[in-house]
Amino acid sequence: MQSRGSILVVDDDIGARESMKMILGGRFDVATTDRGYKAIELVKEKEFDVVVLDIRMPDITGIEVLKKIKENEPSPEVMMVTAFAALDTAKDAMKLGAYDYVEKPFKSFDELRNAVSKGIDRKMKMAKSLQLAKDFDEVRKQLLQLEKLSSLGQIASEVIHELATPITGVLGYSEFLLDQECNGIIKNSLQKIKSEAERCQNLIRNVLTFARKPENIKKPVNANEIVRRTVDIKAYQISLDNIKLVLNLDPELPIILADFGLIQQVILNIINNAQDVLKKHDKERLILISTKSDADNIFITIENSGPFIPTEHIDMIFEPYFTTKGAENGTGLGLSISRDIINSHNGEISVKNNNTIGVTFTIRLPIYKE
């Protein structure tokens, strides 16, 4: 149902004031006052759409009331009411922000109603314009954030490529030295160096796989392997935040037809969100990733022990640009993109609050059947 519109009539003449209330009352919600200063107070207390303002007031002129009203943001539309003798003043009032004026006595009831309706329309258009400006500013902030992320991604990719060469050298030299005769302590140290170099090499390979431009190339793949390689990327960083990450993967998990990098992107995004929540959590910090299957689908569940998602947010969490982090910390696109990726795999992603504590994301993907 459309709003009736909220009108404030300001006139010290009780006859004029009550007649305007009667004329407008059938179509609009009307409040009245006989004093200019009182009108200024009322406008500060309540958001009116239109103020119908008499030019001649006993305590303060209508022009001064108009100026004070227009200092408020957002301000109502103001229509002046004047006798013929003050017509020039009414025209001056329009230069100060009044949108129209009507002369007393009114030619007809419709003249007053139509003039007020005009103000209501102006108010609605202004509200829409302000909302569009606000939305545009939000989109601009999101685009700036995406540009920053894109730049960081390019820098990170270049750094990782540069790291690959020395890591390969460390791995090669450690293997060479292990083939030489050396005592047990040195051999054990070299083995640790080789093991850590291999871990770094795997991490670089995983990050480069993830960073490649997605082409949505689906191949038969084991979802457990996607989970493991994603966890390899995040394990060290998560440990710095004292978060325990546990895997409970079904060893008999069926194969799916999927783009490895895109599914990895979805899992990584959910883990990142869980990490952001848990590092501020003063209780148990746990992420549990499980896999299982039924006759037709495999399921990847990612649980965290953080606080519940507010009820009013849970239905909006996959919507584009929805974020509780602020534009400087998040784009609000991660989960929306994740949903689109899973949908493109004929799957489904959902989220729910657990019975006692924490949140669970569930990804369903169809089993690959040749």
Side-chain angles (χ1 to χ4, degrees), residues 265-276:
Q265 180 180 345
V266 173
I267 297 170
L268 187 60
N269 183 62
I270 296 172
I271 294 175
N272 284 339
N273 287 345
Q275 182 183 5
D276 288 341

Side-chain angles (χ1 to χ4, degrees), residues 21-35:
K21 181 178 181 180
M22 179 193 70
I23 294 168
L24 299 173
R27 188 179 298 181
F28 309 107
D29 294 324
V30 182
T32 65
T33 182
D34 62 349
R35 291 290 183 269

Side-chain angles (χ1 to χ4, degrees), residues 80-128:
M80 309 304 294
V81 177
T82 180
F84 179 77
L87 192 56
D88 288 340
T89 307
K91 292 177 180 177
D92 290 338
M94 294 185 68
K95 298 176 184 178
L96 296 172
Y99 73 90
D100 203 353
Y101 65 89
V102 292
E103 296 179 53
K104 292 191 288 188
F106 311 124
K107 296 175 184 177
S108 67
F109 290 177
D110 284 341
E111 179 191 19
L112 180 62
R113 292 186 185 122
N114 291 339
V116 170
S117 294
K118 178 182 173 183
I120 296 285
D121 290 341
R122 282 174 57 91
K123 180 70 174 177
M124 290 177 62
K125 289 176 181 177
M126 181 59 69
K128 288 180 180 178

Side-chain angles (χ1 to χ4, degrees), residues 224-243:
N224 286 343
E225 181 62 20
I226 302 178
V227 171
R228 289 192 188 97
R229 288 178 61 175
T230 308
V231 167
D232 283 345
I233 294 174
K234 291 295 297 181
Y236 178 70
Q237 189 179 17
I238 284 175
S239 68
L240 293 179
D241 289 322
N242 296 316
I243 298 171

Side-chain angles (χ1 to χ4, degrees), residues 214-219 221 226 257-264 345:
E215 298 175 358
N216 203 356
I217 300 173
K218 298 185 178 78
K219 297 179 180 178
V221 64
I226 302 178
L257 189 67
D259 184 304
F260 192 106
L262 290 180
I263 301 301
Q264 187 179 43
H345 285 72

